[in-house]
Amino acid sequence: MLTPTQHEAYQKPRAPSAVRTYSLRCAGGQGCDPRLRRDAGGRGGVYEYLGGAPRHRKLYCATKYHLQIHPGGKIDGTLEENNPFSILEITAVDVGVVAIKGIFSGRYLAMNEKGRLYASTTFNQECELMERMHELGYNTYASHHFRTSPSPTSTGRRRASAERLWYVSINGKGRPKSGLKTRRTEKASLFLPRVLGHKDHDLVQLLFNSSLGYRHTAFRLTGSTRQRRQRHWADTLESGDNDEDD
């Protein structure tokens, strides 16, 4: 009786070919695309546990605002469901570390050494945010490089309290909070990553198919949205005046 290795249909498996891996690093003081980063194992910046591709999401804060990134560098929250500046691209740059980019603004969410949120035109270390999942499906995003460390006591021993992270937060008025004043457990620091709806996907497709670029397309979209809102309020006021006349 022939063994499996002696059968004529058996083919000896080939030795796996050597795979060369490269480690791409951002040059000092220069920005680079986070998707070109590599980890110690040679894998790409987008990891397997994130589905193998950058995630297009909207970050819905527990204070009922969507985080939005403006082309001018401003960060705030919006109550509008289909605001193009709230459509974000979340890309992993390291294990547990992500970069958040506004698709229509072309800028990265960043936190400086003073805890202030701003939108950076290029990717740098201030754009690296630690993503952590918490109960009820909410996530927190904290600065990877800046935090408050416990100061030593007069006896040379450190205090019992651990270091405090600086979180991305949007308060109840839709304004960003300073990272120095944030807490992990407060509503302003909790974000629910939302999958894009049909209208959001249509906006993204319109952007990708447009030759006007990020800013012009976004301004046209927000301008048309503002005009529709103004017409809606004008019609509402006019109908109210008619009701009073009747």
Side-chain angles (χ1 to χ4, degrees):
M1 181 176 180
L2 296 177
T3 61
T5 57
Q6 294 175 335
H7 196 276
E8 59 181 3
Y10 173 78
Q11 294 182 355
K12 185 177 180 181
R14 298 179 180 179
S17 57
V19 178
R20 298 182 62 185
T21 59
Y22 300 88
S23 177
L24 299 182
R25 298 291 180 181
C26 294
Q30 297 181 358
C32 66
D33 191 333
R35 285 175 291 185
L36 298 179
R37 300 283 291 276
R38 297 291 187 270
D39 67 354
R43 295 173 297 181
V46 182
Y47 298 104
E48 296 177 358
Y49 70 90
L50 294 180
R55 296 167 288 167
H56 288 172
R57 295 290 187 270
K58 303 179 74 171
L59 293 182
Y60 180 72
C61 185
T63 57
K64 299 182 180 181
Y65 286 90
H66 285 98
L67 175 70
Q68 61 178 357
I69 302 177
H70 294 269
K74 181 181 178 182
I75 302 294
D76 62 1
T78 178
L79 296 174
E80 298 180 6
E81 289 291 333
N82 301 113
N83 192 309
F85 293 137
S86 64
I87 302 177
L88 310 173
E89 181 182 81
I90 305 177
T91 307
V93 296
D94 206 339
V95 178
V97 181
V98 298
I100 300 178
K101 181 180 181 180
I103 294 182
F104 282 86
S105 64
R107 289 175 175 256
Y108 294 93
L109 177 64
M111 181 183 295
N112 63 16
E113 59 184 2
K114 296 182 179 180
R116 186 180 69 86
L117 289 177
Y118 70 98
S120 174
T121 56
T122 58
F123 179 80
N124 54 66
Q125 68 172 9
E126 295 184 352
C127 304
E128 297 182 354
L129 303 171
M130 294 187 297
E131 182 183 47
R132 297 292 182 270
M133 181 179 295
H134 298 276
E135 60 276 1
L136 302 179
Y138 284 97
N139 289 0
T140 58
Y141 299 89
S143 174
H144 188 214
H145 294 277
F146 304 119
R147 63 194 69 189
T148 301
S149 301
S151 58
T153 61
S154 58
T155 58
R157 298 181 180 178
R158 289 190 172 274
R159 296 177 181 176
S161 59
E163 62 182 5
R164 185 161 52 85
L165 300 179
W166 297 357
Y167 294 93
V168 175
S169 297
I170 300 294
N171 64 18
K173 296 182 179 180
R175 301 172 183 172
K177 296 182 60 176
S178 172
L180 287 75
K181 302 179 181 179
T182 58
R183 297 291 186 276
R184 177 180 63 87
T185 55
E186 61 184 359
K187 286 185 176 181
S189 302
L190 300 177
F191 291 88
L192 183 65
R194 282 185 168 180
V195 179
L196 302 187
H198 294 294
K199 292 184 179 180
D200 297 323
H201 281 295
D202 292 340
L203 292 176
V204 174
Q205 290 298 323
L206 179 61
L207 171 66
F208 291 161
N209 295 330
S210 174
S211 60
L212 297 178
Y214 286 102
R215 293 193 178 186
H216 291 82
T217 305
F219 286 144
R220 289 185 61 182
L221 291 174
T222 54
S224 60
T225 303
R226 189 177 301 108
Q227 292 175 2
R228 288 196 301 269
R229 193 186 307 115
Q230 292 175 352
R231 287 198 299 268
H232 169 73
W233 283 110
D235 295 340
T236 303
L237 293 175
E238 184 178 354
S239 61
D241 295 337
N242 296 332
D243 294 339
E244 292 179 359
D245 295 337
D246 296 338

